[in-house]
Amino acid sequence: MTKGANVGLATLSEDTGSVIVSLGWSSATGDGDADVSVLLLNADGKARSDADFFFYNHPAAPDGSVQLLGKTPTANGNEDRISLDLTAMPADVQQVVVAASRYGDDRFGTLEDLRLTLADGSGENLLAFPITDAGVESAFIFGELYRRGEEWKFRAVGQGYETGLGGLATDYGIDVDDADEDVDDAHEAEEEGAAVVADVPAAPPPAFEHEPVPEVPVLPAGAAAPENVPETPLPVKRPRTAKKKVTLPKATRKSLAENDSWRPSRLFPASSLKSDHERETRATSILLSVMAEVPEFGRRLTAAFGAPAGRMETFTEVSLPHGETPKRPDGVIRVERAGRLWTALVETKTNGNPLKGEQVQDYMDIAARRGYEAVITVSNDVALEGSPLVDVKIDGRRKHKVALWHLSWAEVTQQAQMLIRHEGVGSAAHASLLEEFLHYLQHENSGCHGFQNMGPAWVPVRNGIDEETLCQGDQRAVQVVENWERLIRQVCLRLGGELGQKVLPVQRAKRGSDPQSRRAALADKLCDDGRLHAEIRIDGSVGILAITADLRTGKLRISLEIPRSEQGYPLSWTKRLVRQLAEAPADLHIETLVEGHGSGPRGTLERLRPEPGDLLPKDGGQITGFRLSLFKGMGSSRGSAESGFIRSVDAAVDRFHSTVVTQLERPAARRP
């Protein structure tokens, strides 16, 4: 579509009751990002109330009409997705504005490949709108959906704001609180010190801040109230666009057990499971029951698949006719809203068991014949763009479309963590249920631990690199690159769930490159230098985390480049850096980055603590920043055993983040 064009959704698809809007972008540096927002407007083009403004501090509507789904990596960057259930949209909402904003001093002109895509309930893309004229704007309206009688239409807008998310919201009648969160740090810290930690994580901090209420003097006993005292106004809620800081519960309730050998009883026990069939049956039943009992969790998992917002029921071991032999999918999800039914068949696998193409094909055929909307697979595998986990054939002659979706157990775990540890749910009972579910997923015997095998090509490729016999074009190297990408995706999911922050892999591929070509090029590079490399960006952290696995030396390197401060002098920069790293490991390597020379002086933190000046270039070269690195021996086996490669990567990333990244502050900007 071009700017200003519009189209009726009904002319594009019959399945537009629920749609997925995706806003995408890429960045040459890898650290460019933006956040989506949605505004619901009445016939006058204004929000009915501040609650009609959906953004990172207010991500979902209670009626399910709007759900911000979060970011997902793509071949060339990231996409931030929104689920809109148009059948649940209130009747007095005439317009839905879809926008995005950048935080701080960042501008949209520094992002590449800005685009909007809209997909129907089956996941089929219906339209695309590229934006090529972004400049100094810090907020951008990509498009809008609006009513024309009984029909919903889409208009490509492409309008920017230099005043950021607050300015955009204000134009539509939202009264925002744009104050930086740091202003309230002292007050929040004081409140935290006096707070009592509950057994269940508290609900998240409100997205809408209250205006202070004027103090009313306390009258002495028996005194008459003064006349003509103005009535105290009720507090006014205002959306706060400053990003919230996320904190985890700092304490747990003391156990009443006499010693550590006493095991607490569990709602979902896992220790007695003896076979993969038992694990799959138990995992399916628990997952589907928790989805039905905790509406926030069920909605979060199904909104991205085109399900409407409504009453959910789930079933297991349902027998469905299919030729001469009935088939039994592991589960069925049904959602009902206003007489409309949405149905998905569910197939689950645990441990390293792969999905079976023939089995999934049967379920796709059954769903198509019965008019069901989707088939959802759940396993420890991580789906990659351009590399499907199973190949299925779609009969193009059938009018009814069935969507095939995949969830990894790591994604399920992350969504549960985000709700109970960072965002909150509607009741303490639901939080407790999710806590038990999370405990089950993380139990060593559940079989739901996520991606856990680098594949059969791992050992031959590692040996080929060691013996220098691996050649470019070897498909085994491509398989290793794909599984490395799956592992990095899982690292991002795990860290994001634990921290309550967006954690995404950084893609530096050329614009328009397809995933297969990109992986083939990385595989050829692996054959040449014997290294696997990846980068991840943690929202709110300094710099980009680089992860390198050197298969020649058997070492992992986790590193981070930080820019120098714009204030002070070179010696003060090095002293400040060493002070910040007071609690960091002594074996941390620090390397000075010098303009025109790349790397400069380097040393371990243990050696540099008494002499930070040793980091200064001897020739007076211009310092541009510093690189911090930790090294660790690489696990050799392909599986997830303690001595395996996957565990070693997890341990190395965790150690670097907890002991190095958390201690770093952003460099001070130059004073005007």
Side-chain angles (χ1 to χ4, degrees):
M1 293 185 68
T2 58
K3 189 172 181 177
N6 62 79
V7 64
L9 299 186
T11 65
L12 303 176
S13 171
E14 296 180 353
D15 187 14
T16 55
S18 293
V19 297
I20 302 293
V21 180
S22 300
L23 306 187
W25 45 79
S26 59
S27 168
T29 62
D31 58 356
D33 195 19
D35 296 290
V36 301
S37 53
V38 173
L39 292 115
L40 306 185
L41 310 180
N42 59 21
D44 297 325
K46 297 293 183 182
R48 300 168 303 166
S49 71
D50 290 344
D52 283 341
F53 179 32
F54 301 93
F55 60 115
Y56 39 74
N57 287 340
H58 182 219
D63 61 8
S65 57
V66 180
Q67 174 87 50
L68 306 191
L69 300 173
K71 292 182 171 62
T72 184
T74 63
N76 303 321
N78 296 314
E79 278 189 349
D80 213 341
R81 299 172 301 152
I82 308 158
S83 170
L84 298 174
D85 187 347
L86 300 179
T87 63
M89 203 65 66
D92 54 347
V93 170
Q94 297 295 310
Q95 188 177 351
V96 180
V97 174
V98 179
S101 60
R102 304 205 67 189
Y103 205 62
D105 297 327
D106 295 330
R107 296 293 180 263
F108 274 93
T110 61
L111 295 179
E112 301 174 356
D113 196 21
L114 284 172
R115 62 200 179 278
L116 176 148
T117 58
L118 186 146
D120 64 11
S122 68
E124 181 178 353
N125 283 339
L126 304 180
L127 59 85
F129 170 43
I131 295 175
T132 58
D133 57 351
V136 297
E137 302 88 354
S138 54
F140 224 94
I141 297 178
F142 282 63
E144 61 186 20
L145 292 99
Y146 59 98
R147 295 185 196 260
R148 278 295 179 267
E150 298 299 319
E151 181 187 11
W152 281 96
K153 302 186 76 172
F154 173 82
R155 179 184 292 115
V157 178
Q159 174 186 342
Y161 285 74
E162 294 183 37
T163 49
L165 181 59
L168 183 153
T170 301
D171 265 12
Y172 290 103
I174 304 292
D175 184 17
V176 301
D177 178 0
D178 233 353
D180 196 306
E181 184 184 35
D182 292 338
V183 174
D184 297 327
D185 277 352
H187 176 65
E188 290 179 1
E190 182 179 325
E191 287 184 346
E192 286 180 7
V196 177
V197 179
D199 297 339
V200 177
F208 300 97
E209 298 293 320
H210 289 282
E211 290 284 7
V213 178
E215 293 186 6
V216 178
V218 179
L219 299 175
E227 297 181 359
N228 301 323
V229 175
E231 186 176 338
T232 303
L234 292 174
V236 178
K237 294 180 178 180
R238 298 193 295 162
R240 184 176 185 181
T241 60
K243 290 193 175 181
K244 300 282 185 187
K245 292 182 179 178
V246 176
T247 56
L248 297 176
K250 296 180 174 58
T252 55
R253 182 173 55 179
K254 183 179 178 181
S255 173
L256 301 181
E258 288 186 4
N259 55 61
D260 293 340
S261 68
W262 287 27
R263 295 183 179 179
S265 57
R266 289 293 175 188
L267 188 61
F268 308 125
S271 57
S272 62
L273 299 174
K274 296 179 180 179
S275 69
D276 284 341
H277 176 70
E278 287 183 10
R279 292 184 183 91
E280 288 175 9
T281 303
R282 180 75 59 85
T284 304
S285 182
I286 294 173
L287 168 64
L288 296 184
S289 64
V290 173
M291 287 174 63
E293 292 298 324
V294 184
E296 299 95 329
F297 183 61
R299 177 63 181 153
R300 175 161 294 202
L301 290 184
T302 58
F305 304 153
R311 181 174 66 92
M312 179 183 293
E313 285 190 23
T314 55
F315 310 86
T316 60
E317 298 292 332
V318 175
S319 179
L320 297 172
H322 183 64
E324 297 180 357
T325 307
K327 299 297 180 182
R328 286 181 176 269
D330 291 323
V332 177
I333 301 171
R334 302 204 91 170
V335 182
E336 185 272 336
R337 181 180 183 88
R340 175 196 170 195
L341 272 179
W342 181 92
T343 306
L345 304 182
V346 180
E347 174 63 17
T348 61
K349 297 293 181 184
T350 56
N351 281 333
N353 298 311
L355 294 163
K356 298 177 181 178
E358 182 180 353
Q359 197 174 36
V360 176
Q361 182 71 64
D362 286 343
Y363 298 150
M364 291 288 288
D365 293 340
I366 292 171
R369 284 200 310 271
R370 301 180 70 86
Y372 297 163
E373 282 72 21
V375 172
I376 301 172
T377 59
V378 186
S379 74
N380 283 317
D381 272 328
V382 177
L384 300 180
E385 185 179 14
S387 182
L389 296 175
V390 291
D391 290 320
V392 297
K393 296 179 181 179
I394 306 297
D395 189 346
R397 295 170 298 176
R398 282 183 174 150
K399 186 176 181 181
H400 181 74
K401 299 174 185 175
V402 178
L404 177 61
W405 305 98
H406 180 74
L407 275 173
S408 73
W409 285 112
E411 291 176 88
V412 175
T413 299
Q414 187 233 15
Q415 295 290 3
Q417 286 177 316
M418 292 298 293
L419 278 173
I420 63 175
R421 295 184 176 176
H422 308 294
E423 298 174 8
V425 291
S427 74
H430 288 168
S432 179
L433 190 60
L434 277 175
E435 190 74 59
E436 286 292 318
F437 177 54
L438 186 59
H439 183 273
Y440 175 85
L441 293 176
Q442 296 174 334
H443 192 280
E444 60 184 8
N445 198 36
S446 71
C448 305
H449 305 130
F451 178 74
Q452 52 187 341
N453 197 306
M454 290 297 292
W458 172 252
V459 173
V461 166
R462 194 191 64 205
N463 291 339
I465 289 173
D466 187 50
E467 298 164 0
E468 298 187 9
T469 58
L470 192 67
C471 301
Q472 289 190 2
D474 194 320
Q475 286 303 303
R476 295 175 301 178
V478 176
Q479 294 173 28
V480 168
V481 166
E482 287 183 346
N483 285 330
W484 170 250
E485 188 175 341
R486 290 187 172 97
L487 175 57
I488 296 303
R489 295 275 181 93
Q490 180 162 288
V491 168
C492 292
L493 288 169
R494 183 177 56 80
L495 269 182
E498 293 173 357
L499 302 175
Q501 300 283 8
K502 291 175 293 186
V503 182
L504 291 168
V506 174
Q507 303 284 12
R508 298 185 186 272
K510 294 181 180 179
R511 179 178 176 179
S513 62
D514 67 276
Q516 290 89 346
S517 299
R518 175 174 60 83
R519 293 180 189 122
L522 292 174
D524 288 345
K525 192 171 186 302
L526 170 64
C527 295
D528 287 341
D529 62 19
R531 294 189 183 96
L532 293 166
H533 182 75
E535 296 174 310
I536 63 176
R537 176 169 42 81
I538 304 172
D539 194 30
S541 296
V542 179
I544 292 175
L545 207 65
I547 307 169
T548 302
D550 193 327
L551 276 64
R552 295 186 191 277
T553 63
K555 285 188 176 181
L556 290 167
R557 175 176 182 160
I558 316 298
S559 60
L560 180 75
E561 291 186 10
I562 57 174
R564 66 167 175 82
S565 173
E566 295 291 339
Q567 300 178 9
Y569 300 93
L571 183 58
S572 67
W573 302 337
T574 61
K575 288 182 176 179
R576 180 174 181 268
L577 177 61
V578 170
R579 281 198 306 270
Q580 284 187 56
L581 298 169
E583 303 299 323
D587 61 338
L588 177 68
H589 285 239
I590 305 179
E591 180 181 358
T592 304
L593 303 178
V594 183
E595 186 175 5
H597 296 80
S599 60
R602 67 188 72 182
T604 63
L605 182 58
E606 182 178 31
R607 184 176 70 81
L608 293 169
R609 275 174 174 147
E611 294 294 340
D614 287 351
L615 285 171
L616 299 178
K618 304 303 180 186
D619 59 358
Q622 179 67 38
I623 296 176
T624 60
F626 302 92
R627 181 185 293 119
L628 313 179
S629 304
L630 278 177
F631 295 86
K632 175 182 172 57
M634 189 181 79
S636 56
S637 65
R638 72 184 195 182
S640 60
E642 288 292 340
S643 60
F645 176 72
I646 293 174
R647 290 282 186 94
S648 66
V649 172
D650 284 338
V653 171
D654 287 349
R655 181 182 183 229
F656 190 87
H657 181 268
S658 62
T659 63
V660 179
V661 176
T662 56
Q663 299 188 43
L664 295 172
E665 302 171 4
R666 291 189 178 276
R670 185 183 300 277
R671 291 171 183 165

